[in-house]
Amino acid sequence: LAMAAGTCLGLLAQVVKDDCVDLVLGFVSSNFGNPDWKHREAALLAYGSIMEGPTSEKMRPLVQQSYPHLVRALQDTSVAVRDTMAWTLG
């Protein structure tokens, strides 16, 4: 179910482009540090799912700023979070 939601979000991002970024990043920001691993995984899935939609100009500074935090997520206690993070990084 989560991957289907991620696919749907990715397709939406391809249509609306930059207009989805602020909304999705609001969700990511409020869930990335949540103690519940399901929230952290959902945040990373949302982040990774929109990468194909927005322009590089819009995403580049955001990715550069968030990259150190994303790499740290590879050490998360949850295997699901680490797996989703690896998928997000490509």
Side-chain angles (χ1 to χ4, degrees), residues 52-69:
E52 300 287 322
T55 60
S56 296
E57 292 77 20
K58 177 75 172 177
M59 292 304 294
R60 185 175 296 113
L62 302 170
V63 170
Q64 289 173 338
Q65 180 183 17
S66 64
Y67 190 76
H69 304 287

Side-chain angles (χ1 to χ4, degrees), residues 1-9 38 41-42 45-46 49 84 87:
L1 186 60
M3 287 307 290
T7 299
C8 188
L9 183 57
K38 294 175 198 149
E41 182 188 26
L45 182 62
S49 293
T84 302
W87 171 83

Side-chain angles (χ1 to χ4, degrees), residues 18-29 50 58 62:
D18 291 353
D19 292 338
C20 72
V21 174
D22 292 335
L23 184 61
V24 171
L25 288 185
F27 174 81
V28 170
S29 294
I50 66 164
K58 177 75 172 177
L62 302 170

Side-chain angles (χ1 to χ4, degrees), residues 5 14 23-24 26-27 31 33 37 39 51 53 55 62 72 74 80 88:
Q14 289 177 23
L23 184 61
V24 171
F27 174 81
N31 287 284
W37 70 267
H39 291 254
M51 288 296 150
T55 60
L62 302 170
R72 274 194 298 263
L74 289 169
T88 297

